[in-house]
Each structure stands twice: as C-alpha cells, then as structure tokens.
Amino acid sequence: MKKSMIAYPYLVWMIIFILVPLLLIVFYGFTKTTDQGIVFTLDHFKRFFEPIYIMVLLRSLYLALICTVICLLLGYPLSLILASKEYRHKRVLVLLVVIPMWMNFLLRTYAWLTLLEKNGVINTFISFFGLPKMELLYNQGAVVLGMVYNFLPFMVLPIYSVLIKIDKSIIEAAEDLGADSKTIFGKIILPLSLPGIVSGITMVYMPAVTTFVISRLLGGGQFTLIGNLIEQQFVYTGEWGFGSALSIVMMILILFSMAIMSRYEKEREGGGLF
Amino acid sequence: MKQKLNAKLSLLVIVSTLLVLLLTACGQSDRVTLKVFNWGDYMDTSIIADFEKEYNIKVIYSTFATNEDMYVSLKSGGNSYDVAFPSDYMISRMINEDMLHTIDMNNIPNYKYIDDKFKNLPFDSNNEYSVPYLWGTLGIVYNKTMVDDPVDSWEILWNEKYSKQILMLDSQRDSIGITLKMLGYSMNTKEEDQLEEAKQKLIEQKPLVLAYVGDEVKDKMVGGEAALAVVWSGDAVAMKWENPDLEYVIPKEGSNLWFDSAVIPKSSKHKKEAEMFINYLSEPEVAFRNTDYIGYSTPNKETMGMLDQELIEDSTAYPSDAEIENCEVFEDLSDTLQIYDRIWTEIKSS
C-alpha cells in the first residue's frame, strides 16, 4: 500500500504531461471546425499522403538512417576501447564523451555554425595552408554531421554499459579453448552486446528522425524534415489538425519500430534501456 | 476490484486537472502588472524600467519571432497580454476575428505626434485599434566588395554569378511575395496560377541559394558570408553600422512596406494601463531613444526632428516617396495562407 502511495505524484505528473497532451493530439488530428461545429474528419491524414509530404518523411527516415549507421560505426569501436581494461586513459575518454552533454544542445549546434561557415574556424585553418575553401555549411552533409555529433553519446553509452558487464571469465574460457581474437569478438562479444546496440540504435534513430533544429540551422532551411513540417503547422500556419495528424503518423512509426526492436531484444537477455 | 480502480483513476484525472488550473491561476499581486508582447530585439528595455518607475506599474516583457507565433499564442488563449506589436496584415486579421480592444485615443495624447502619413492606413482605416510603433520596407542588402552588377531589381537574386552567395528569408509570405513582385504581380494575390509561377521561379532559384535564414542573416552579412540577402530595412541600418561595405536597396519592381503597431488584445485586463504604456512609447523623447537603439524607422514626427540629419537622408531608414511608390502593404490572406504553406513546403523539399 505504502509503495503505491509514493507512485501517485508520478501518475498525476504523467496524466498531466503525457496522457492529456496525447489525447489532445488525437482530438485535433481527427477533427476539424466547420460552420456546424467540430466534426470528425480524416482530411488531415489524407493530406499527409500527398507526394510532397511523403517525400519529406522519406528524407527524414533516410537522413536518420545514415546518421544511425555512422553513429554505430563510430560508436562501437569507441565503446570497445572504453570498456577494455588495458586502455589507461579510459576515464578521460568517458569524460570526453559525456562532457558535451552537459552543455545545451542548441548552443552546441550554434557552435557548429561558426566552425563550418565560409570564414569560419575550419576554413580559415584550411586556407592557412593554401588550400581552397570548402562549402561546409548548409548542405546535407552538415545536417548529418550535426546529428551524429549530437546523438553519438546515445549510441556509445548503452553499448558501453553492456560491454563492461560482460563476464570476463567467458572470454578467458574461450581463450583457453584456443579461440583467436576474431572468433572471440564474432562469437562472444558481438552477440552479448546486441541489446546495447539495439537500444543505441533506438536512442539515436528516434531523435534523429524528429529533429528540426539541426536541419534548420545547419541545413539553412533547405532540408525540410518531418520535424520542421510539424513545427511549421503549429507556429506558422496554425493548422493544428494537420500538425497533429503528422505527429500521430510519426508516433505510430516510432512505436512500430520500437516493437520490432523490443521483439529482437527479448530473444537476447537484458541490458536494454527500454 | 475493477470498479475501485476506475474510481481511483477518475479521481486522479480530476485532481490533475485541478492542479493545472491552480498552477495557471497563481501570480497575483497588488501592483498592476502589465504584460507586453513584442518582437525579439525590438525595444530598448531601459525604457521599460523607466516606465515602471514613473508609473509604479510592473511590466512583464516577453518576445516572439513572427506574427504567426504571436497570433497562435494569443489565439490559443493560454496567455493574456496587455500590449502586443503585430504588423499590418496581422492587425486586420485580429480585428476581423474580434481579438482587439478599441483604443481610446483621448488617453493617448501623444498620438498627435504621429505623422499623418501613418494614420488611416488600410488595415485600421479609422485608427481605432492601433498606434504606429515602427515601420520599414523589405529589400536587398548587398556587399559592395562582392557584387559588381548594379543592384536595382529582384532579378539579381536569380543571377547564377552569385550562386551560393544568396541568403533568402525563411518566411513564406516575404519570399513568395518578392517573387510575385518580380513577376509583376501583387504581393497579396490569391490567383493560383500566379502563385504557381512564383513557385516555379523559387524552385529554379533554390540551387543558387546558400540558405533560408531568420535572424542569423545579420551576423552572416556583417561577417561577409554571403553577397546578397533579403532583409528588413531596420536590420539593414544596423548591419551598415557594423559593416560599411553593405548597402541596402528597395528593388524597382516594388516591395513590401510594413507597419508594426501597438494594439491591446481582448484578453487584457488592464486596458487603462496598457494605454498609458502605449502613450509613453509615443512620447517623442522615448520614441527617440527607442529608434536610436534598434535602428528601425519611427513614425513620430517630433522624433524625426531629433534624429541625425545623416540618418534622415539615408534612404535605407527613410526612403523617399518615389522609392516606395511600387511598394505594397500585406493584406490578410486568410484561407489562401494554406496554399502559401504548401508552396513553401514544396520549394524547401524540392
């Protein structure tokens, strides 16, 4: 009984800030105001299936996919290094991964603006060596860079936390039985770290799909992503219905991918964040 | 058992709703609190401090980024503001939707200082709802060291020579509007084929555009990151202070002429104090401090007399009648706005 009492404030919190807004979104998504009052409609969803909006969605999914793949390729080796006993500067490295997360996300993204611009730090450095200046800002590459930079820790930390929990005696046993390091990695470390990889992928993919600040600042507004589209409906055109419909589609997509992921996760054991 | 759970759940919902109501209702005090809602970086805030001292009224100052932001904030009803500063077309929309109090001009004696040019404008033809605050135009700012062609037409923004050196505004109405002007149409058109033509033009221009930006445009142009940019006149004045290589032009095809005015939303509970504040802002001395601080142009005759002759003669801030001859004031587009939004999405995702 006591325990459930403690849970009440959280329940109230969740109802106010999660359940109620969610219901509002569903309400706005399926209704429109006409002269006869508020009526049920599917118009907002129909509008979503026009080619331009599908294009925007596909671009968001595509860019987020690239970002996730890069994060995984960069993050996994990094996690391995962090988790290995032999590496001496491990603590410093963990700190370096975590420190940027102490700073505000928006500030970090603004900082990239100054780094990448035509007379910015990187280009000044390049031209110092007599090399031609490069167009670094306002293209797809800059958007992906911004995403990778901001979301990499979300890939590294779950994988790292799984890797350090791997029982070292299993690896020792494999070594005693004559497995070489390739086999140990392929047959032991990689399979055991899968839950971390799965939650890392989810943690990176979701914010990457829905981001709107990165694409606006580093993409110079030229790469409308689904997040930008939703934002635009709420703050500019005031089309809350369409904006809500977009959000619902987005949420369904995320739930769908989470379901696939968690199914995969159940087959292995533990370690995930969800 | 199930019943009990349901009862508990409904109790929870009720308690939560009450809490929300309670939280939004707090924050009362004796001294009148005036809530002012203005554009970002659009007022010398020391003026507010002086007003608070002189009239013993507390002012809560918040800012918005676009007219639409402001409109949505007021419309959703969550916030009550006493004074806001929308632009022309937004004022007419708010008047149409019965969102504004009429202002009692007897309480605004300083209204007499406002130049007659700025009275009886179409969005508030009887001067009932708004007091002009600042005004300006939309035009092209360019870097003289980077552009050697004459800049007098919007066409230059389609010149391939300046590929990736052009900054456009990330604003649907302004960007589509200037394209319509270039094509010889009205900025307030509701004709779909004209809008379609403008869309094609903008898609054609997209490869040349470095970025679609908001407030960052000032830093970018001052830092020499781009050669040409579409900006508002007041920003251009501020940019020229920082980088003398920059020059501002209102293209010959005409452009947008805009007026930001003080209004009192219906949600205001302190209309009298709001009028006091608007009157204070229209005092020549105060208006001077303000315009001197932010660089935008004042509609106040007396204030203009106090400004530097140099600034008055600078057509960036105070264009001649000939220069603004072809300019148009935005009108409220109501439902056509949805078409603008679709076009803009198509352009940006092409």
Side-chain angles (χ1 to χ4, degrees), chain B residues 140-186:
Chain B
I140 299 174
V141 74
Y142 65 98
N143 192 319
K144 282 181 277 189
T145 60
M146 295 158 97
V147 179
D148 38 25
D149 296 293
V151 182
D152 62 350
S153 158
W154 294 114
E155 301 270 358
I156 194 148
L157 299 175
W158 272 258
N159 189 335
E160 276 172 31
K161 205 165 127 189
Y162 302 107
S163 171
K164 292 289 166 202
Q165 297 189 53
I166 298 165
L167 291 172
M168 290 290 283
L169 273 178
D170 190 5
S171 160
Q172 313 182 346
R173 279 215 73 175
D174 297 297
S175 295
I176 297 172
I178 59 169
T179 317
L180 288 166
K181 267 296 183 197
M182 184 180 75
L183 295 167
Y185 304 133
S186 159

Side-chain angles (χ1 to χ4, degrees), chain A residues 8 12 16 47 50 52 56 59 117-119 138 220-222 224 229 232-237 239-240, chain B residues 8 12 16 20 68-69 72 172 206 209-212 220 223-225 338 341-342 345-346 348-349:
Chain A
Y8 269 70
V12 172
I16 298 178
R47 186 171 164 198
E50 286 174 27
I52 48 165
V56 171
R59 176 184 298 129
E117 61 188 13
K118 212 177 342 177
N119 301 322
Y138 301 134
Q222 293 168 89
T224 305
L229 205 57
Q232 205 174 306
Q233 300 313 316
F234 282 95
V235 305
Y236 194 87
T237 37
E239 299 240 357
W240 290 24
Chain B
K8 264 189 184 173
L12 260 179
S16 324
V20 172
E68 287 69 22
D69 274 353
V72 172
Q172 313 182 346
K206 200 183 171 195
V209 174
L210 178 63
Y212 299 89
K220 297 277 166 205
E225 289 291 321
Q338 213 186 55
D341 182 50
R342 187 181 306 242
T345 309
E346 277 184 58
K348 292 220 296 177
S349 34

Side-chain angles (χ1 to χ4, degrees), chain A:
Chain A
M1 195 59 210
K2 271 263 166 71
K3 263 187 194 157
S4 66
M5 290 290 276
I6 299 172
Y8 269 70
Y10 298 100
L11 260 174
V12 172
W13 177 271
M14 285 201 289
I15 289 172
I16 298 178
F17 293 107
I18 299 174
L19 195 65
V20 174
L22 217 58
L23 291 175
L24 278 176
I25 289 176
V26 174
F27 172 75
Y28 279 114
F30 285 102
T31 56
K32 69 174 173 189
T33 325
T34 58
D35 298 337
Q36 283 91 42
I38 295 166
V39 292
F40 176 82
T41 176
L42 286 173
D43 287 359
H44 305 309
F45 289 92
K46 259 186 232 150
R47 186 171 164 198
F48 171 76
F49 286 101
E50 286 174 27
I52 48 165
Y53 300 118
I54 296 289
M55 278 300 295
V56 171
L57 179 67
L58 288 180
R59 176 184 298 129
S60 308
L61 296 175
Y62 171 70
L63 285 184
L65 183 72
I66 296 181
C67 159
T68 312
V69 170
I70 297 177
C71 277
L72 187 60
L73 291 178
L74 288 175
Y76 198 86
L78 180 58
S79 313
L80 275 178
I81 296 169
L82 292 179
S84 71
K85 273 234 169 70
E86 296 82 42
Y87 190 63
R88 284 194 321 155
H89 308 293
K90 195 168 109 176
R91 287 228 176 114
V92 183
L93 215 55
V94 176
L95 212 61
L96 285 179
V97 173
V98 177
I99 281 179
M101 291 172 73
W102 296 350
M103 207 175 16
N104 182 288
F105 162 78
L106 203 59
L107 286 180
R108 275 183 281 153
T109 312
Y110 266 110
W112 274 109
L113 272 181
T114 339
L115 286 175
L116 296 177
E117 61 188 13
K118 212 177 342 177
N119 301 322
V121 178
I122 294 175
N123 267 325
T124 315
F125 185 74
I126 291 174
S127 57
F128 180 74
F129 292 103
L131 296 163
K133 286 189 177 180
M134 294 188 289
E135 293 284 348
L136 298 168
L137 199 55
Y138 301 134
N139 50 42
Q140 207 144 308
V143 178
V144 174
L145 175 73
M147 285 183 183
V148 170
Y149 173 76
N150 278 309
F151 303 136
L152 187 62
F154 298 115
M155 182 65 85
V156 173
L157 297 176
I159 298 179
Y160 167 72
S161 67
V162 171
L163 283 177
I164 50 168
K165 273 187 248 153
I166 292 178
D167 192 349
K168 292 288 174 297
S169 54
I170 303 176
I171 296 167
E172 280 158 21
E175 277 168 350
D176 289 346
L177 292 170
D180 57 9
S181 54
K182 229 188 239 168
T183 322
I184 291 177
F185 179 77
K187 295 246 158 143
I188 298 172
I189 297 180
L190 191 64
L192 283 178
S193 64
L194 262 181
I197 296 178
V198 170
S199 58
I201 290 175
T202 349
M203 297 273 292
V204 171
Y205 194 70
M206 281 185 213
V209 169
T210 47
T211 184
F212 62 95
V213 175
I214 296 174
S215 52
R216 186 171 59 210
L217 289 178
L218 300 179
Q222 293 168 89
F223 304 95
T224 305
L225 301 185
I226 192 93
N228 300 90
L229 205 57
I230 295 173
E231 187 212 7
Q232 205 174 306
Q233 300 313 316
F234 282 95
V235 305
Y236 194 87
T237 37
E239 299 240 357
W240 290 24
F242 185 48
S244 300
L246 287 171
S247 312
I248 293 170
V249 172
M250 206 61 238
M251 277 189 279
I252 291 172
L253 272 175
I254 287 177
L255 279 178
F256 193 67
S257 50
M258 261 176 78
I260 297 175
M261 288 289 188
S262 66
R263 217 173 125 198
Y264 198 76
E265 221 167 338
K266 252 177 234 155
E267 288 167 17
R268 325 269 153 188
E269 275 197 14
L273 280 163
F274 294 103

